[in-house]
Amino acid sequence: MPLRETLPISSFSWEERIIVALDVASRTEALRLITLLPQAKFFKVGLRLFVAEGPEFVEEIIKRGKEVFLDLKLHDIPNTVGQTVEEIVNLGVRMMTLHVAGGRMMMKRAVEAVQNLNASKKKYPPLLLGVTVLTSLTPPDLQEIGVALELSQQVVRLARLAEECGLDGLICSPQEVGEVRRIVNPEMILITPGIRPSWSTKNDQRRVTTPREAFQKGADFIVVGRPIIASSRPHEAFSRIVEEIKDLT
Ligand code: C5P
């Protein structure tokens, strides 16, 4: 069964396509946000919160009826990644990330781990999402680590490799989502961070896009952190974003 069948994008409401980044340091702060955002379905747990509060907290979020996007960006030898993915599958998260730069064997082992454990245990196995080139890396950074291709070419190369290895989707910056959408299979799920509604501040994000533009360029989901979680009224900020996109088809 193709993994995509487990997550029918067309049946998702706009509220469900906004993933709220729980970029906070503690369970208390995270739960406060989850409570303040009853209309949100997906929450992203990154390394910081995961290290601070552990897998039990991920399970707690799921028990509260929410979906978790576990953003740990795995990158290790195939065996270690495969075994770690098995553990993540048991947690019941709906999406997780790994670095495409970990290579073909690593990605294949991750895909196998999901497929093997998919059978009876969990209703929905996690979608495996590839990270291509971190947006914090500049062209000189890439050269320094021995990547000769231009940044955008490297993104395209890794996106194709991820698709070939059977990943379900990719994390794409606003700059690359349009191009990636053109070159990969329409079934690949694209998730875009770096989102700033016109009414919010940019913070440290330099190249940003509005929620509307991101979906128009081909994103399936957007990840939004500070415009929602740092707002004095998170619920209102979330609703405002939904208002801006809900007439898109
Ligand atoms: O607060 P903000 O909306 O900028 O948060 C965006 C989230 O997406 C953060 O969790 C950040 O780590 C993540 N992210 C990003 N840019 C990338 C990849 C991930 O902002 N290129």
Side-chain angles (χ1 to χ4, degrees):
M1 177 178 65
L3 292 176
R4 175 77 178 205
E5 274 179 27
T6 64
L7 194 83
I9 297 294
S10 54
S11 66
F12 276 57
S13 65
W14 288 110
E15 281 86 355
E16 289 167 331
R17 292 185 187 212
I18 302 167
I19 302 170
V20 179
L22 289 175
D23 292 332
V24 291
S26 71
R27 176 179 175 275
T28 313
E29 288 172 86
L31 287 181
R32 176 186 155 265
L33 286 165
I34 293 170
T35 311
L36 284 173
L37 293 164
Q39 74 275 54
K41 180 79 172 167
F42 276 91
F43 290 90
K44 181 168 91 78
V45 173
L47 265 178
R48 180 190 183 192
L49 188 58
F50 189 75
V51 169
E53 299 292 354
E56 299 77 20
F57 184 53
V58 169
E59 287 176 313
E60 184 179 348
I61 300 174
I62 296 166
K63 282 200 191 107
R64 287 170 181 257
K66 302 299 184 183
E67 303 285 1
V68 172
F69 168 12
L70 190 58
D71 187 20
L72 302 182
K73 300 187 178 70
L74 304 183
H75 189 166
D76 209 318
I77 59 170
N79 192 50
T80 302
V81 167
Q83 289 170 337
T84 305
V85 171
E86 288 174 14
E87 300 292 343
I88 292 175
V89 170
N90 285 327
L91 279 181
V93 307
R94 285 289 288 270
M95 301 174 173
M96 56 162 291
T97 50
L98 64 169
H99 274 283
V100 180
R104 182 182 294 275
M105 274 312 295
M106 188 201 82
M107 286 187 279
K108 290 208 153 176
R109 284 294 285 276
V111 171
E112 277 166 27
V114 169
Q115 285 170 343
N116 291 343
L117 294 175
N118 178 8
S120 56
K121 283 194 172 171
K122 296 286 169 196
K123 197 170 162 209
Y124 296 109
L127 294 172
L128 293 174
L129 304 166
V131 174
T132 56
V133 179
L134 292 173
T135 46
S136 51
L137 294 174
T138 61
D141 290 328
L142 283 187
Q143 272 182 4
E144 194 173 39
I145 58 170
V147 175
L149 288 181
E150 260 183 41
L151 200 152
S152 60
Q153 290 174 324
Q154 178 70 356
V155 169
V156 164
R157 185 188 186 116
L158 294 179
R160 289 201 169 115
L161 179 61
E163 181 172 28
E164 229 179 277
C165 294
L167 296 201
D168 302 289
L170 294 155
I171 308 299
C172 296
S173 76
Q175 289 66 50
E176 65 205 30
V177 65
E179 170 70 3
V180 174
R181 181 84 283 167
R182 274 189 292 280
I183 60 134
V184 296
N185 186 310
E187 296 294 290
M188 287 287 272
I189 292 166
L190 304 186
I191 301 192
T192 303
I195 301 293
R196 287 294 176 273
S198 51
W199 40 266
S200 68
T201 50
K202 278 187 168 184
N203 311 107
D204 58 353
Q205 297 277 20
R206 269 170 293 173
R207 289 169 299 166
V208 295
T209 192
T210 64
R212 197 177 171 85
E213 282 163 356
F215 285 113
Q216 283 171 332
K217 285 180 179 172
D220 294 299
F221 292 86
I222 56 173
V223 175
V224 187
R226 287 161 289 182
I228 295 173
I229 69 170
S231 157
S232 54
R233 294 193 181 84
H235 181 276
E236 234 170 69
F238 189 100
S239 300
R240 234 171 132 180
I241 295 176
V242 175
E243 280 306 307
E244 288 178 23
I245 56 179
K246 69 178 191 195
D247 65 316
L248 291 171
T249 49

